[in-house]
Amino acid sequence: MIAEKELMFTDKDVKQIENLGLTTEAVKAQVERIKSGMDYAKLEEAATVGNGILRFNKVEIEKYVKLYEKACNQLNIVKFVPASGAATRMFKFVYQFLKEYHDDEERLGHYLKTHKNFWVFVNGLEKLPFFELVKNEIPNFQNLPIEERYTAFVKTMLNKSGLNFGQYPKGLLPFHNYKLEVLTAFHEHLLEATFYASTNNTAKLHFTISEEHTEHFKSELEKIKPTLETQTNTEFEVTFSYQNKSTNTIALKTNNEPYRTPNGNLVFRPAGHGALLDNLNNVKSDIIFIKNVDNIVVQEQNKLQSDYKKLLAGILLDAQGKTFNYLKVLENEQLSEQKLLEIAMFLTHRMNVKLHADFDDFDLNRKASYLFNKLNRPIRVCGMVKNEGEPGGGPFWVKHKDGETSLQIIEFAQINVEDKSQKAIVKHATHFNPTDLVCGTKDFKGNPFNLHNYVDHNATFITIKSQDGTEIKALELPGLWNGSMADWNTIFVEVPVSTFNPVKTVIDLLKPAHQVS
């Protein structure tokens, strides 16, 4: 058997690695992780209503909403918004049109018949929030032949010589047209914070962005902040952070050798939203709402949906209050079997923690220590919507290597669908995760948890990408709300599908949730 050649780095490589804040040992570990392949999740069963997902009636919802409203002014609250993504993928099929189509009326008809997304796009052109903005850049727009009109609109919208929307950060793209003004997703998130994530007339928001977009975000904030504060009687404290370059991971060719640029440099890629765990760990607040930048609706609908955010926060506060009380008791008192049973029942039925198979055989001290360890963790309450065909991670009961089972949000890429038993479990899934979380990241003494201590490092993703026409393998860190939160205590709550309105392609902006009535 031929020994595998040891990976060696040149002095130039070492300097490049160190400039990223990495070490050669860490990069070699990344390489070994990619070579060893993915560890698929071991699904036990789908989480459903009554089995891992809670459903509340109107009276119960109102109780938790009021609990949150009563407590929120005594809390430090932050809305955390991952917003680094560029809008390029939103316009993928429009870029395809630019590449494939050349002005010809007869060919246009055929193109529209064979490309449904583009047909929907041009039929809804005037409903796009940036229609007037683009149209006004095109001389004599309305009098152009229809095929020239569409081509001119697309070129003006996307080309660098035009508005260059495809290179915008998604958060700064015009999202909603209110006739008198057109608002970006960034602007809408600030407004949304006033509905459920402000305390004492102050709203704190933290956006994770790409460093090259910093000045654009700061400029937009400076432009809208004075008027917005006057309109809402709210002071906005907005901060930004970037994905740490030390979280980047090396790219390999399909033969597992490092991929290099023509000038011999190694290629490192951003490691997915799991790399934002550092950013989240630096947010020291009592409650953190997490929501993606593109999942934002027009204001009239947003007001109606804000109660569901308050519901999740109220459930968090209720669970956290009980957890903290039990932890104080466990730390300070010698407890009876009955009291330990009470705590165990809370852990099982409210925090969805399945106890060790031998728990009943533990002595009192070991039971107390075990319960303390299981309770003393960050808590997340996650909205789950009924699966109606939208993409997204799903809620499952998952068995871990230590034999224990817990509730997890699992992405499709983590599932071995070649395994018939796993595929059958997926078929029985009823809900998915719309990235709608409320997090408690402080312990019962008020100290922030170190979130890096609660990660399942085996839950990495290995993806196949294209780099300058070459197929490469890339490593993504455990997803922020997947493996990065694997050892948190988890509560799943059913919320309406109306709370999930992402903009994955530009034609999503034509949906009712993004149109002002």
Short mmCIF file of all heavy atoms in Angstrom, two decimals, residues 418-453:
data_model
loop_
_atom_site.label_atom_id
_atom_site.label_comp_id
_atom_site.label_asym_id
_atom_site.label_seq_id
_atom_site.Cartn_x
_atom_site.Cartn_y
_atom_site.Cartn_z
N GLU A 418 -29.71 8.38 0.41
CA GLU A 418 -29.51 7.05 -0.18
C GLU A 418 -29.91 5.97 0.81
O GLU A 418 -30.14 4.82 0.43
CB GLU A 418 -28.04 6.87 -0.58
CG GLU A 418 -27.54 7.86 -1.62
CD GLU A 418 -28.32 7.78 -2.92
OE1 GLU A 418 -28.60 6.65 -3.37
OE2 GLU A 418 -28.67 8.84 -3.47
N ASP A 419 -29.97 6.34 2.10
CA ASP A 419 -30.41 5.41 3.15
C ASP A 419 -31.94 5.43 3.18
O ASP A 419 -32.55 6.45 3.50
CB ASP A 419 -29.81 5.86 4.49
CG ASP A 419 -30.14 4.90 5.63
OD1 ASP A 419 -31.28 4.39 5.66
OD2 ASP A 419 -29.29 4.69 6.50
N LYS A 420 -32.56 4.31 2.86
CA LYS A 420 -34.03 4.27 2.74
C LYS A 420 -34.73 4.64 4.04
O LYS A 420 -35.79 5.30 4.03
CB LYS A 420 -34.47 2.89 2.27
CG LYS A 420 -34.09 2.59 0.83
CD LYS A 420 -34.61 1.21 0.40
CE LYS A 420 -34.23 0.94 -1.06
NZ LYS A 420 -34.70 -0.41 -1.49
N SER A 421 -34.15 4.23 5.16
CA SER A 421 -34.80 4.53 6.44
C SER A 421 -34.76 6.03 6.73
O SER A 421 -35.73 6.60 7.25
CB SER A 421 -34.12 3.76 7.59
OG SER A 421 -32.78 4.20 7.76
N GLN A 422 -33.65 6.68 6.36
CA GLN A 422 -33.54 8.12 6.55
C GLN A 422 -34.49 8.87 5.61
O GLN A 422 -35.14 9.84 5.99
CB GLN A 422 -32.10 8.58 6.34
CG GLN A 422 -31.11 8.02 7.34
CD GLN A 422 -31.29 8.59 8.73
OE1 GLN A 422 -30.89 9.70 9.02
NE2 GLN A 422 -31.93 7.81 9.60
N LYS A 423 -34.56 8.38 4.39
CA LYS A 423 -35.44 9.00 3.40
C LYS A 423 -36.90 8.90 3.83
O LYS A 423 -37.69 9.85 3.64
CB LYS A 423 -35.25 8.32 2.03
CG LYS A 423 -35.89 9.05 0.87
CD LYS A 423 -35.50 8.39 -0.44
CE LYS A 423 -36.11 9.14 -1.62
NZ LYS A 423 -35.71 8.52 -2.92
N ALA A 424 -37.26 7.78 4.45
CA ALA A 424 -38.63 7.58 4.92
C ALA A 424 -38.98 8.57 6.03
O ALA A 424 -40.09 9.09 6.10
CB ALA A 424 -38.82 6.15 5.41
N ILE A 425 -38.01 8.86 6.91
CA ILE A 425 -38.23 9.82 7.99
C ILE A 425 -38.46 11.21 7.41
O ILE A 425 -39.35 11.95 7.86
CB ILE A 425 -37.04 9.82 8.97
CG1 ILE A 425 -36.99 8.49 9.73
CG2 ILE A 425 -37.13 10.99 9.95
CD1 ILE A 425 -35.74 8.28 10.55
N VAL A 426 -37.66 11.56 6.41
CA VAL A 426 -37.82 12.88 5.77
C VAL A 426 -39.21 13.02 5.17
O VAL A 426 -39.82 14.09 5.23
CB VAL A 426 -36.73 13.08 4.68
CG1 VAL A 426 -36.98 14.37 3.91
CG2 VAL A 426 -35.35 13.10 5.31
N LYS A 427 -39.73 11.94 4.60
CA LYS A 427 -41.06 11.99 3.98
C LYS A 427 -42.15 12.30 4.99
O LYS A 427 -43.21 12.82 4.65
CB LYS A 427 -41.36 10.66 3.28
CG LYS A 427 -40.69 10.51 1.93
CD LYS A 427 -41.18 9.26 1.22
CE LYS A 427 -40.57 9.16 -0.18
NZ LYS A 427 -41.04 7.94 -0.89
N HIS A 428 -41.90 11.97 6.27
CA HIS A 428 -42.90 12.20 7.31
C HIS A 428 -42.74 13.57 7.97
O HIS A 428 -43.49 13.91 8.87
CB HIS A 428 -42.82 11.10 8.37
CG HIS A 428 -43.36 9.78 7.91
ND1 HIS A 428 -42.56 8.81 7.37
CD2 HIS A 428 -44.63 9.30 7.87
CE1 HIS A 428 -43.31 7.76 7.03
NE2 HIS A 428 -44.57 8.04 7.33
N ALA A 429 -41.76 14.35 7.51
CA ALA A 429 -41.56 15.69 8.08
C ALA A 429 -42.73 16.59 7.69
O ALA A 429 -43.20 16.56 6.55
CB ALA A 429 -40.25 16.29 7.59
N THR A 430 -43.18 17.38 8.64
CA THR A 430 -44.35 18.24 8.41
C THR A 430 -44.01 19.73 8.42
O THR A 430 -44.80 20.55 7.96
CB THR A 430 -45.41 17.99 9.50
OG1 THR A 430 -44.80 18.21 10.79
CG2 THR A 430 -45.96 16.58 9.43
N HIS A 431 -42.84 20.10 8.97
CA HIS A 431 -42.51 21.51 9.15
C HIS A 431 -41.08 21.79 8.69
O HIS A 431 -40.29 20.87 8.50
CB HIS A 431 -42.63 21.90 10.63
CG HIS A 431 -44.05 21.93 11.14
ND1 HIS A 431 -44.80 20.78 11.28
CD2 HIS A 431 -44.83 22.97 11.55
CE1 HIS A 431 -46.01 21.11 11.75
NE2 HIS A 431 -46.04 22.42 11.92
N PHE A 432 -40.78 23.06 8.52
CA PHE A 432 -39.40 23.44 8.24
C PHE A 432 -39.08 24.73 8.98
O PHE A 432 -39.97 25.44 9.48
CB PHE A 432 -39.14 23.59 6.73
CG PHE A 432 -39.72 24.83 6.11
CD1 PHE A 432 -38.95 25.97 5.93
CD2 PHE A 432 -41.05 24.86 5.71
CE1 PHE A 432 -39.47 27.11 5.35
CE2 PHE A 432 -41.59 26.00 5.13
CZ PHE A 432 -40.80 27.13 4.97
N ASN A 433 -37.78 25.02 9.05
CA ASN A 433 -37.30 26.18 9.81
C ASN A 433 -37.12 27.38 8.88
O ASN A 433 -36.33 27.33 7.95
CB ASN A 433 -35.95 25.82 10.45
CG ASN A 433 -35.20 27.05 10.90
OD1 ASN A 433 -35.73 27.87 11.62
ND2 ASN A 433 -33.95 27.19 10.46
N PRO A 434 -37.83 28.48 9.16
CA PRO A 434 -37.69 29.66 8.31
C PRO A 434 -36.63 30.64 8.81
O PRO A 434 -36.65 31.82 8.47
CB PRO A 434 -39.08 30.28 8.40
CG PRO A 434 -39.53 29.96 9.80
CD PRO A 434 -38.93 28.61 10.13
N THR A 435 -35.71 30.18 9.63
CA THR A 435 -34.71 31.04 10.30
C THR A 435 -35.41 32.14 11.09
O THR A 435 -35.32 33.32 10.79
CB THR A 435 -33.71 31.64 9.30
OG1 THR A 435 -33.23 30.61 8.44
CG2 THR A 435 -32.52 32.25 10.04
N ASP A 436 -36.15 31.70 12.08
CA ASP A 436 -36.94 32.60 12.92
C ASP A 436 -36.67 32.16 14.36
O ASP A 436 -37.33 31.28 14.89
CB ASP A 436 -38.42 32.43 12.56
CG ASP A 436 -39.31 33.46 13.22
OD1 ASP A 436 -38.80 34.30 13.98
OD2 ASP A 436 -40.54 33.42 12.98
N LEU A 437 -35.65 32.77 14.98
CA LEU A 437 -35.18 32.30 16.28
C LEU A 437 -35.15 33.44 17.30
O LEU A 437 -34.91 34.60 16.95
CB LEU A 437 -33.76 31.74 16.19
CG LEU A 437 -33.47 30.51 15.35
CD1 LEU A 437 -33.22 30.89 13.90
CD2 LEU A 437 -32.24 29.78 15.88
N VAL A 438 -35.38 33.07 18.56
CA VAL A 438 -35.14 33.97 19.68
C VAL A 438 -34.22 33.22 20.64
O VAL A 438 -34.50 32.08 21.02
CB VAL A 438 -36.45 34.37 20.39
CG1 VAL A 438 -36.16 35.43 21.45
CG2 VAL A 438 -37.47 34.89 19.40
N CYS A 439 -33.11 33.86 21.01
CA CYS A 439 -32.06 33.17 21.74
C CYS A 439 -31.77 33.81 23.09
O CYS A 439 -31.75 35.04 23.21
CB CYS A 439 -30.76 33.18 20.93
SG CYS A 439 -30.94 32.46 19.29
N GLY A 440 -31.56 32.96 24.09
CA GLY A 440 -31.08 33.40 25.40
C GLY A 440 -29.67 32.88 25.58
O GLY A 440 -29.46 31.66 25.69
N THR A 441 -28.69 33.78 25.59
CA THR A 441 -27.29 33.35 25.57
C THR A 441 -26.55 33.69 26.87
O THR A 441 -25.31 33.70 26.88
CB THR A 441 -26.56 33.98 24.37
OG1 THR A 441 -26.67 35.41 24.45
CG2 THR A 441 -27.16 33.50 23.06
N LYS A 442 -27.30 33.97 27.94
CA LYS A 442 -26.67 34.21 29.24
C LYS A 442 -27.08 33.12 30.22
O LYS A 442 -28.18 32.55 30.12
CB LYS A 442 -27.09 35.58 29.80
CG LYS A 442 -26.46 36.75 29.05
CD LYS A 442 -26.83 38.07 29.71
CE LYS A 442 -26.16 39.25 29.01
NZ LYS A 442 -26.53 40.55 29.61
N ASP A 443 -26.20 32.84 31.20
CA ASP A 443 -26.51 31.80 32.18
C ASP A 443 -27.32 32.37 33.34
O ASP A 443 -27.68 33.55 33.35
CB ASP A 443 -25.24 31.09 32.65
CG ASP A 443 -24.31 32.01 33.46
OD1 ASP A 443 -24.76 33.08 33.94
OD2 ASP A 443 -23.12 31.65 33.61
N PHE A 444 -27.60 31.54 34.33
CA PHE A 444 -28.49 31.94 35.43
C PHE A 444 -27.86 32.97 36.35
O PHE A 444 -28.54 33.55 37.20
CB PHE A 444 -28.98 30.71 36.21
CG PHE A 444 -27.92 30.01 37.02
CD1 PHE A 444 -27.91 30.12 38.40
CD2 PHE A 444 -26.95 29.22 36.41
CE1 PHE A 444 -26.96 29.45 39.17
CE2 PHE A 444 -25.99 28.56 37.16
CZ PHE A 444 -25.99 28.67 38.54
N LYS A 445 -26.57 33.22 36.17
CA LYS A 445 -25.90 34.26 36.96
C LYS A 445 -25.69 35.55 36.14
O LYS A 445 -25.05 36.49 36.61
CB LYS A 445 -24.55 33.75 37.46
CG LYS A 445 -24.69 32.59 38.46
CD LYS A 445 -23.34 32.12 38.97
CE LYS A 445 -23.51 30.98 39.98
NZ LYS A 445 -22.21 30.49 40.49
N GLY A 446 -26.23 35.55 34.93
CA GLY A 446 -26.13 36.73 34.09
C GLY A 446 -24.87 36.81 33.25
O GLY A 446 -24.61 37.83 32.60
N ASN A 447 -24.08 35.74 33.25
CA ASN A 447 -22.84 35.74 32.46
C ASN A 447 -23.09 35.15 31.07
O ASN A 447 -23.80 34.16 30.94
CB ASN A 447 -21.77 34.90 33.16
CG ASN A 447 -21.45 35.42 34.55
OD1 ASN A 447 -21.25 36.62 34.73
ND2 ASN A 447 -21.44 34.54 35.55
N PRO A 448 -22.49 35.75 30.04
CA PRO A 448 -22.68 35.20 28.69
C PRO A 448 -22.03 33.83 28.57
O PRO A 448 -20.93 33.59 29.07
CB PRO A 448 -21.96 36.21 27.79
CG PRO A 448 -21.79 37.45 28.60
CD PRO A 448 -21.69 36.99 30.03
N PHE A 449 -22.75 32.91 27.92
CA PHE A 449 -22.14 31.62 27.58
C PHE A 449 -21.09 31.84 26.49
O PHE A 449 -21.22 32.74 25.67
CB PHE A 449 -23.20 30.65 27.04
CG PHE A 449 -24.14 30.10 28.06
CD1 PHE A 449 -25.44 30.58 28.18
CD2 PHE A 449 -23.73 29.07 28.92
CE1 PHE A 449 -26.31 30.06 29.12
CE2 PHE A 449 -24.60 28.54 29.85
CZ PHE A 449 -25.89 29.04 29.96
N ASN A 450 -20.07 31.00 26.49
CA ASN A 450 -19.18 30.94 25.33
C ASN A 450 -19.82 29.97 24.34
O ASN A 450 -19.80 28.76 24.55
CB ASN A 450 -17.79 30.45 25.73
CG ASN A 450 -16.84 30.39 24.54
OD1 ASN A 450 -17.24 30.58 23.40
ND2 ASN A 450 -15.57 30.12 24.81
N LEU A 451 -20.41 30.52 23.29
CA LEU A 451 -21.21 29.70 22.37
C LEU A 451 -20.39 28.65 21.62
O LEU A 451 -20.94 27.67 21.13
CB LEU A 451 -21.94 30.61 21.38
CG LEU A 451 -22.86 31.68 22.02
CD1 LEU A 451 -23.57 32.47 20.93
CD2 LEU A 451 -23.87 31.04 22.98
N HIS A 452 -19.09 28.84 21.58
CA HIS A 452 -18.23 27.87 20.90
C HIS A 452 -18.19 26.53 21.65
O HIS A 452 -17.76 25.51 21.08
CB HIS A 452 -16.81 28.42 20.75
CG HIS A 452 -16.72 29.58 19.81
ND1 HIS A 452 -16.75 29.44 18.45
CD2 HIS A 452 -16.62 30.92 20.05
CE1 HIS A 452 -16.67 30.62 17.88
NE2 HIS A 452 -16.58 31.54 18.82
N ASN A 453 -18.63 26.53 22.90
CA ASN A 453 -18.62 25.29 23.69
C ASN A 453 -19.82 24.39 23.40
O ASN A 453 -19.92 23.30 23.96
CB ASN A 453 -18.61 25.61 25.19
CG ASN A 453 -17.32 26.29 25.61
OD1 ASN A 453 -16.28 26.14 24.96
ND2 ASN A 453 -17.36 27.05 26.70
#
